Amino acid sequence: MATRSLAGLLPALVLAAAAPAAAGTLDQVKSKGYVTCAVNTGLAGFSMADRQGRYAGLDVDACRAVAAAVLGDASKTKFVPATAQQRFALLQTGEVDVLTRNTTWTLERDTANGLTFAPVNYYDGQGFMVAKKLGVTSAKQLDGATICVQPGTTTELNLADYFRSNHLNFKPLVIEKLDEVENAFFSGRCDAYTTDRSGLAATRAGKAPNPDDYVILPEVISKEPLAPAVRHGDDEWFDVVKWAMFGMIDAEEKGITSKNVDDMLKSDDPEIKRMLGVTPGMGKNLHLDEKWLYNIIKQVGNYGESFERNVGKESPLKLARGLNELWTRGGLMYGMPIR
Ligand SMILES: N[C@@H](CCC(=O)N[C@@H](CS)C(=O)NCC(=O)O)C(=O)O
């Protein structure tokens, strides 16, 4: 199929042998002095550069958290924008250290594509957006519609599955570049645009001529657990990225924020003491400074702070926490214990 990435066609063993930076990414990052992350080419809330080229977003924060943990400085990052089709090769060839780009964790990517996924930083699902004037209220009314979609995505595959299983027809309009697919939709070249619902919200808030003219239909047709990923076979680096994510979630659960983290250094709570390096050991286990998580929280914030700033109440997207709420409040965000 033309839409599959080349790397997706290669056997895992060949990939493992071909990946130059398969082992020792932590040492490489420490010696080069920055973390290189593949990010979106421009998706509000997840990864977007301003006019000065400064990146912001939930995925950008994941990368910055890794930099804070490893180098003590969240600004020691380099962002490489990648389309859906380019992203896996960038990681596999060693051009980037981490993939932080609204990437869905799937079996094929976790195995044949040679990726290892860190904890999910946004639980999403695929949806559809249409112009309000069409009067469509359900995806089931899209029989025969032209649907805009990006290649190299789970979106494209789920779209075909959904229409097939509902015995509906559609015409895909497949466009690789995000700007171009958005323009095609807003200029009426397709009846509906389909992607992750967070992506629909970002496109509507950031790119629609008038956001109120567009509706996101109620159907959620897939599970899209979006997670950072590293290369297979580098457990030490995987541990760092994994615990940077868990650490942000645990910090929210413990009520540690970028604002109060210095006061929290005086806490009597034994887990908080381990988290902030007051009781040493966790940093050593990760081959990092004992202040690894203190630096993340101080410079990037806990998971909830990052969520609200980028995609939640304080952002143009205004997404509800929903599944991305902490497990203690009915959501799926559950950081493993720091001990
Ligand atoms: N989560 C899905 C879809 C990811 C995806 O690439 N979505 C599009 C639409 S929101 C996107 O981010 N495009 C931005 C770009 O091409 O840079 C996946 O991992 O395949």
Side-chain angles (χ1 to χ4, degrees):
M1 214 160 88
T3 56
R4 283 181 48 148
S5 66
L6 172 63
L9 302 171
L10 297 173
L13 278 176
V14 175
L15 281 176
T25 307
L26 179 59
D27 288 339
Q28 288 173 19
V29 168
K30 283 179 180 171
S31 69
K32 72 178 170 166
Y34 58 90
V35 183
T36 315
C37 296
V39 292
N40 204 287
T41 60
L43 189 64
F46 286 82
S47 161
M48 185 80 112
D50 66 13
R51 289 216 178 89
Q52 282 77 45
R54 284 182 307 235
Y55 278 87
L58 196 70
D59 283 340
V60 166
D61 278 356
C63 184
R64 295 174 70 236
V66 174
V70 177
L71 303 161
D73 184 345
S75 72
K76 297 275 192 320
T77 46
K78 185 177 161 209
F79 296 105
V80 179
T83 66
Q85 285 191 313
Q86 295 163 335
R87 61 185 151 173
F88 302 127
L90 285 173
L91 189 64
Q92 286 150 350
T93 58
E95 260 174 88
V96 302
D97 306 308
V98 194
L99 178 65
T100 47
R101 188 207 170 281
N102 55 313
T103 293
T104 305
W105 183 345
T106 68
L107 188 150
E108 186 180 42
R109 292 170 177 179
D110 201 345
T111 54
N113 288 8
L115 272 61
T116 296
F117 285 90
V120 171
N121 67 341
Y122 191 93
Y123 287 95
D124 209 343
Q126 184 174 334
F128 296 89
M129 180 158 66
V130 294
K132 226 180 231 170
K133 63 171 191 250
L134 282 188
V136 169
T137 54
S138 159
K140 304 267 171 62
Q141 297 169 319
L142 291 173
D143 195 17
T146 300
I147 304 199
C148 278
V149 61
Q150 280 190 287
T153 56
T154 47
T155 321
E156 192 188 19
L157 310 173
N158 299 328
L159 174 65
D161 285 358
Y162 180 77
F163 275 73
R164 190 174 305 122
S165 54
N166 284 290
H167 310 290
L168 301 170
N169 294 311
F170 73 103
K171 285 191 263 339
L173 184 55
V174 182
I175 301 178
E176 186 184 357
K177 292 214 165 68
L178 182 63
D179 271 352
E180 291 174 13
V181 76
E182 289 170 333
N183 289 341
F185 173 64
F186 290 123
S187 66
R189 284 179 60 206
C190 43
D191 305 304
Y193 172 44
T194 185
T195 186
D196 301 339
R197 292 178 110 234
S198 62
L200 295 178
T203 291
R204 183 169 63 175
K207 311 273 180 70
N210 178 8
D212 287 339
D213 290 345
Y214 296 90
V215 282
I216 296 172
L217 299 177
E219 285 84 1
V220 180
I221 68 162
S222 69
K223 288 183 287 189
E224 305 294 327
L226 310 180
V230 296
R231 281 177 289 279
H232 262 178
D234 189 348
D235 286 354
E236 184 189 42
W237 183 240
F238 174 46
D239 286 344
V240 167
V241 177
K242 173 172 51 185
W243 285 96
M245 298 301 110
F246 282 150
M248 289 177 77
I249 298 167
D250 284 325
E252 182 180 16
E253 187 184 330
K254 286 285 180 186
I256 315 171
T257 69
S258 55
K259 310 246 162 33
N260 70 14
V261 63
D262 287 305
D263 291 338
M264 286 288 186
L265 291 169
K266 292 172 235 135
S267 167
D268 293 330
D269 180 319
E271 186 163 22
I272 294 181
K273 289 180 150 194
R274 285 191 296 274
M275 289 168 75
L276 300 181
V278 176
T279 304
M282 299 299 118
K284 182 161 172 275
N285 291 334
L286 286 166
H287 308 154
L288 297 176
D289 189 274
E290 295 298 342
K291 286 266 173 282
W292 67 279
L293 184 50
Y294 169 91
N295 287 328
I296 296 178
I297 302 168
K298 179 91 182 171
Q299 297 176 36
V300 184
N302 68 35
Y303 177 75
E305 290 181 278
S306 174
F307 186 99
E308 295 307 344
R309 176 170 69 229
N310 293 305
V311 299
K313 290 192 285 294
E314 300 159 25
S315 79
L317 275 70
K318 306 249 177 296
L319 296 170
R321 280 295 288 268
L323 292 176
N324 298 296
E325 185 54 275
L326 289 181
W327 68 287
T328 47
R329 296 199 280 256
L332 297 177
M333 286 296 164
Y334 186 110
M336 300 305 152
I338 299 195
R339 68 154 62 254

